[in-house]
Amino acid sequence: MKEKTPPEKTFEEPGDLASRAEEILHENDMGGWTKASPGLYPHQWSWDSAFIAIGLAHLDTRRAAQELVTLFDHQWATGKVPHIVFNMEAPADSYFPGPEHWATAAPDSPDAPPTPAHTSGLCQPPVHAMAAWHIWEVAGNRGEDVLAEARGFLQELYPKLFAWHQYLATTRDPEGSGLVTIYHPWESGTDNSPRWNAALERCTVSDFPSHPRPDLQDTDPSERPTEEKYDRYIWLVDLIKGVGCNESAIYESHPFLVKDVLFSAILVRANEALLEIAEVVGASDEERVLIQEWIERGRQGLEECWDPELKLCLDYDLWAAAPLPARTVGGFAPLIAGAGNPDHLEALLEVLDSTAFLGDPGLRWPLPPSTSPQDPEFDPHRYWRGPIWPVFNWLLWWSLIRAGEQESAERLRQASLEQIVSGGFGEYFEPFTGELLGSDDQSWTAAVVLDWLASGPQPEAVEAT
Ligand code: 2M8
């Protein structure tokens, strides 16, 4: 296992941080798309690419647009945007489950993209329309030619985005609840979160054949999911493959069918962005009315997942017909979605500042642990079970601004940047020590730093820990 070293630079000069962020995106650039990290994640991940496009927009709006276009080239006939587009040049043993594991499922499915398919059969939260709209907004300050090019990009992407959101609103929500059903923790993006514990209990995996764990080569096993969790992840993948990724079959018998509130909240915001894009490209009234309905249904669905005791929003297990209690950042979903019940929004802001999250006196920086230290499943080292994720901080910061909470948003931005100045461009961080965990030079961390720096000053230099 590789030793972690503190960052070589302490980013003392304003501009240092931006240059390093730019360098990382450049180093991870594979020509038209960006790998999620240098070693641990050698492929194109769906929601990573959306965040990456948000950062790239500040460097080059054309390249940012290309990031999304490349991803959507692999969209399935159903409208699904795959969670991974595999890099066929990456060594076969660099990631598991890789293209060969999915190959027997995806290309056989009539819904798969044109060959070479090379994608997973899952999806991830739909940040893409937000990214596309952001590119358009940045292009607005770059002169007529750049704006005209960005208009062409929106025209090209809009129908694909619409198909993607329609898939989520229908195939992934046959109940019309406004909430998206996920088939696998990997679809949530917060993979190893205790949010999924109870639903994973149903996945009784015994005598499962052993499988490779290349993720443990360069990363301490205490920072990654346990073997027991990984068996369940692969078992669920194999069940999905077993039915050729057929969604009606999945919906009938798949043991993991969960309404994901964070995914659904992101979809509400993505639909707001899609509505803006629909205006720019002159989409039909029918489509605009539909998008508006999805927004309203999404907000309503989230309201119904409110837990008055935890004062958080909870995911919902369709098989158990019961909420999935956990104190995690997923619970802030109504704040992410915006414009919900004002009492719930006020309660969420209180919980955010309380000792359950930002107010914990032991925190190195006032940033939200992915799982609250007050949750029995909290683990400060393990992936999505406690560490702080810059990309989630970005989402929260963005939502706080839209909720009119400018001061809290600015505190979050400053603390997030200080953490990165001190610890480096980590995938995630230990909440009490600020130690960098997971991958170094993670692309989406570099991307959100660029967006934060475009929104205000770099913090004073702080000493590297
Ligand atoms: C992590 O997920 C992948 C599986 O998709 C993994 O652990 O192998 C998650 O943090 C996910 O949200 C992220 O998109 C991906 C790449 O950064 O890594």
Side-chain angles (χ1 to χ4, degrees):
M1 203 198 54
K2 200 177 64 181
E3 278 283 295
K4 291 226 172 63
T5 44
E8 285 162 25
K9 295 194 217 169
T10 52
F11 311 113
E12 278 150 8
E13 299 298 324
D16 281 356
L17 199 58
S19 320
R20 183 62 198 135
E22 186 173 345
E23 243 168 56
I24 290 170
L25 288 180
H26 186 65
E27 287 160 9
N28 293 341
D29 188 330
M30 303 298 286
W33 65 275
T34 310
K35 57 183 172 179
S37 74
L40 187 58
Y41 306 118
H43 307 292
Q44 182 176 28
W45 262 261
S46 167
W47 77 325
D48 295 57
S49 266
F51 287 111
I52 289 164
I54 287 171
L56 281 176
H58 298 289
L59 306 175
D60 178 352
T61 50
R62 180 185 294 177
R63 175 63 187 81
Q66 194 188 18
E67 186 77 25
L68 295 175
V69 169
T70 311
L71 177 71
F72 276 79
D73 279 349
H74 298 269
Q75 184 169 27
W76 287 40
T78 53
K80 174 169 67 187
V81 175
H83 110 285
I84 303 176
V85 175
F86 292 110
N87 164 18
M88 298 310 285
E89 317 260 290
D93 59 359
S94 60
Y95 185 79
F96 185 85
E100 66 301 323
H101 194 86
W102 277 106
T104 51
D108 286 349
S109 164
D111 301 326
T115 31
H118 307 326
T119 79
S120 85
L122 303 173
C123 64
Q124 275 187 325
V127 185
H128 317 90
M130 293 158 63
W133 182 247
H134 175 80
I135 293 170
W136 169 257
E137 287 190 316
V138 174
N141 300 323
R142 302 268 164 90
E144 279 307 310
D145 290 352
V146 175
L147 195 63
E149 196 175 272
R151 187 185 301 277
F153 155 67
L154 289 188
Q155 268 153 355
E156 179 187 347
L157 203 67
Y158 170 79
K160 299 180 181 188
L161 286 169
F162 184 84
W164 167 217
H165 291 200
Q166 190 163 43
Y167 160 81
L168 293 172
T170 55
T171 310
R172 292 305 186 105
D173 187 21
E175 307 85 359
S177 67
L179 301 170
V180 176
T181 305
I182 58 166
Y183 307 150
H184 195 294
W186 283 341
E187 296 203 305
S188 72
T190 67
D191 312 359
N192 197 30
S193 170
R195 294 167 73 189
W196 319 122
N197 274 12
L200 283 173
E201 287 295 307
R202 192 174 306 112
C203 308
T204 42
V205 182
S206 57
D207 296 331
F208 198 67
S210 74
H211 46 79
R213 289 291 304 268
D215 60 313
L216 302 183
Q217 260 161 32
D218 285 336
T219 310
D220 191 309
S222 71
E223 298 167 24
R224 294 287 302 172
T226 59
E227 211 50 56
E228 175 256 324
K229 280 279 187 305
Y230 234 85
D231 281 354
R232 287 174 157 83
Y233 295 160
I234 304 303
W235 185 72
L236 287 171
V237 163
D238 290 354
L239 288 181
I240 293 168
K241 277 173 52 174
V243 293
C245 299
N246 177 304
E247 310 229 13
S248 345
I250 293 172
Y251 228 87
E252 267 166 37
S253 61
H254 193 59
F256 189 96
L257 294 178
V258 174
K259 293 289 182 190
D260 176 338
V261 291
L262 182 59
F263 195 125
S264 307
I266 291 172
L267 181 58
V268 169
R269 289 300 199 179
N271 272 321
E272 283 184 343
L274 190 63
L275 205 51
E276 303 269 25
I277 297 171
E279 187 77 35
V280 173
V281 304
S284 71
D285 286 347
E286 289 79 8
E287 288 189 350
R288 285 191 233 185
V289 167
L290 210 48
I291 300 168
Q292 188 58 51
E293 276 173 24
W294 295 338
I295 295 172
E296 283 156 24
R297 208 187 298 163
R299 290 216 168 98
Q300 182 56 37
L302 289 168
E303 283 304 327
E304 285 164 23
C305 295
W306 180 252
D307 183 278
E309 271 174 38
L310 288 178
K311 295 195 168 56
L312 289 171
C313 188
L314 296 183
D315 304 294
Y316 188 83
D317 183 347
L318 285 176
W319 283 117
L324 290 164
R327 240 179 236 212
T328 75
V329 288
F332 294 104
L335 176 59
I336 308 279
N341 177 330
D343 293 342
H344 294 172
L345 290 180
E346 201 184 315
L348 282 174
L349 293 171
E350 275 169 27
V351 174
L352 181 63
D353 283 336
S354 76
T355 52
F357 287 97
L358 302 184
D360 183 310
L363 292 179
R364 173 83 170 84
W365 312 103
L367 293 169
S370 45
T371 296
S372 165
Q374 293 177 6
D375 188 284
E377 294 295 317
F378 172 75
D379 178 339
H381 262 86
R382 207 177 289 281
Y383 168 83
W384 290 110
R385 296 181 90 81
I388 289 165
W389 290 70
V391 76
F392 184 82
N393 298 347
W394 183 92
L395 208 51
L396 195 57
W397 164 79
W398 185 95
S399 309
L400 285 168
I401 293 174
R402 277 149 189 84
E405 298 293 323
Q406 312 293 346
E407 282 176 21
S408 310
E410 181 53 17
R411 278 198 298 273
L412 201 68
R413 189 186 75 89
Q414 286 281 339
S416 298
L417 287 172
E418 281 170 20
Q419 179 176 65
I420 288 156
V421 166
S422 167
F425 287 80
E427 184 186 4
Y428 44 101
F429 294 87
E430 212 276 0
F432 304 123
T433 62
E435 180 197 353
L436 182 150
L437 302 173
S439 178
D440 204 348
D441 295 348
Q442 182 84 6
S443 297
W444 65 10
T445 303
V448 298
V449 163
L450 286 176
D451 194 51
W452 276 323
L453 291 174
S455 310
Q458 177 172 328
E460 301 274 305
V462 286
E463 291 203 4
T465 43

